[in-house]
Amino acid sequence: MSTSRLLAELDDVGRDRRRGGYSRHVFDRGERELREWFAEQAGRRGLQVETDRNANLWAWWGEPGDDAVVTASHLDSVPGGGAFDGPLGVVSALAAVESLRDSGFRPRRPLAVVAFAEEEGGRFGVPCLGSRLLSGGISRDAACALRDPDGTTFAEAMRAAGHDPERAGRDDAALRRIGRLVELHVEQGKGLIDLHRPVAVADSILAHGRWRFRFRGEGNHAGATPIGDRREAAAREQARATVGRVEATPGGTNVIASAVDLWLDARAPLHPAARALVDEIARHAHEHAHDEGCTVEITEESYGDTVHFDPGLRDELRAQLDDAPVLPTGAGHDAGVLAAHAPTAMLFVRNPTGVSHAPEEHAEPDDCAAGTTALADVLRRWTA
């Protein structure tokens, strides 16, 4: 079955009628449906499915084993996200396996398709949570204590979904199974549009992280409190900072907020620039809070240093794919988290809109097919 036809099977899963696009967060109804769909589709292709200690799904072609070839992505989305970010990589992997099987190919090396949990951090705030837990990038206790907007902890959500949070955390046995990893992803930008190529190879990921700023003031009546009596909580080259989420407490339309939480996403090509950007923003935040008679608490929720993908794999993939373009990315990925533990690489499929994390995200069927063909070629060479 073609990649586009497989993607079409997910059209109605996790649709967000308010935001548009899709909201599929770990262990919610939509994400659970996608997990069930993944297991069913993998089984149809003769793959053996298992769930690891951190709720990541593994579908094995042949016997599971160490030093395997792994192709991975995720099924969850940001709030109101597009149809391709995450699922395209998983669907392309299943289609690539089907193509290889139909051609009569049989791998001599273990091969696994992996769907990592909570890559976007859309429910519990920490991106790439499944791969971070697996690799020890976040401790079990820290992860289990994370809370979603409703106050449910990650541990409670795991338990309700049938997983044991006491077993979560660094998984050396699973890490040993990853001999090399390739992740296919829809491009999150416009790099391929002007190059007139459907597929690119990733070079690096910008240093990036998330910080929570909590401004505290004094709650009061919005209409009856004089302005003078109010205490309201209210770039560098190639660096970028974004506030995409704000929550006011208590949250009434006619109530002065006593606290405002906002989440900062900051990225830069190199670690020092990313840290300097956040330090500058923090300094201004403290100054403005002081001027308004408020306080601000700043908490780092996640951080990842600059990632350079394995140069040998990068060059190998580029040569295999007819001198494919090599592009950096400002987006984080599970492949970036695991790059410190195994040789990793990424493929990007052209996005004609250049839009990502929004309903307008897109990839043409022919480009999806080209990405699947490229991935199948890589898997064939690596497991022959």
Side-chain angles (χ1 to χ4, degrees), residues 187-209:
E187 186 189 9
Q188 295 173 287
K190 300 181 178 181
L192 281 168
I193 295 175
D194 294 331
L195 296 175
H196 308 292
R197 297 289 296 272
V199 179
V201 179
D203 178 56
S204 60
I205 295 176
L206 272 60
H208 62 284

Side-chain angles (χ1 to χ4, degrees), residues 13-292:
V13 181
R15 278 198 175 273
D16 192 317
R17 306 300 176 187
R18 180 172 68 87
R19 299 183 180 94
Y22 299 88
S23 293
R24 302 156 166 166
H25 309 311
V26 68
F27 306 137
D28 71 7
R29 179 178 176 180
E31 198 259 4
R32 291 199 308 271
E33 285 186 36
L34 293 183
R35 285 172 170 266
E36 293 169 1
W37 176 89
F38 175 84
E40 179 188 357
Q41 292 295 327
R44 289 183 183 180
R45 289 158 178 79
L47 306 183
Q48 175 184 336
V49 180
E50 62 182 31
T51 305
D52 70 18
R53 292 161 31 193
N54 297 299
N56 304 308
L57 291 166
W58 298 67
W60 289 93
W61 187 357
E63 286 299 313
D66 291 350
D67 198 33
V69 169
V70 175
T71 180
S73 194
H74 60 98
L75 294 168
D76 64 307
S77 76
V78 297
F84 295 84
D85 184 350
L88 177 62
V90 174
V91 167
S92 296
L94 292 172
V97 167
E98 182 176 4
S99 172
L100 291 172
R101 291 183 71 97
D102 288 348
S103 73
F105 176 77
R106 294 295 179 268
R108 297 182 179 180
R109 184 174 178 179
L111 189 158
V113 177
V114 180
F116 283 109
E118 182 73 336
E119 194 271 353
E120 297 290 5
R123 181 174 180 185
F124 291 97
V126 174
C128 300
L129 187 56
S131 57
R132 287 180 191 270
L133 274 166
L134 182 151
S135 62
I138 185 172
S139 70
R140 183 199 66 183
D141 290 345
C144 286
L146 295 171
R147 292 184 181 273
D148 69 9
D150 294 326
T152 302
T153 66
F154 182 66
E156 291 167 342
M158 281 194 81
R159 193 173 289 111
H163 307 285
D164 183 0
E166 296 300 318
R167 299 184 66 244
R170 183 181 171 100
D171 189 342
D172 288 316
L175 278 174
R176 284 194 300 271
R177 290 181 167 185
I178 304 174
R180 53 174 59 182
L181 181 147
V182 59
E183 179 173 355
L184 180 145
H185 205 280
V186 67
E187 186 189 9
Q188 295 173 287
K190 300 181 178 181
L192 281 168
I193 295 175
D194 294 331
L195 296 175
H196 308 292
R197 297 289 296 272
V199 179
V201 179
D203 178 56
S204 60
I205 295 176
L206 272 60
H208 62 284
R210 298 182 185 184
W211 290 261
R212 178 175 180 166
F213 287 60
R214 166 160 283 193
F215 293 86
R216 293 186 183 274
E218 180 181 74
N220 212 324
H221 192 286
T225 308
I227 294 295
D229 291 342
R230 299 186 184 209
R231 293 190 289 118
E232 298 181 65
R236 301 170 183 265
E237 185 179 359
Q238 297 186 356
R240 59 211 68 172
T242 305
V243 173
R245 178 182 169 198
V246 179
E247 292 182 1
T249 302
T253 303
N254 60 343
V255 181
I256 296 172
S258 59
V260 171
D261 291 281
L262 60 85
W263 281 261
L264 173 75
D265 179 297
R267 303 172 190 246
L270 298 174
H271 165 79
R275 290 293 187 186
L277 176 63
V278 175
D279 288 345
E280 182 177 351
I281 293 170
R283 177 174 60 81
H284 286 296
H286 282 292
E287 289 175 356
H288 288 299
H290 179 268
D291 291 345
E292 295 295 332

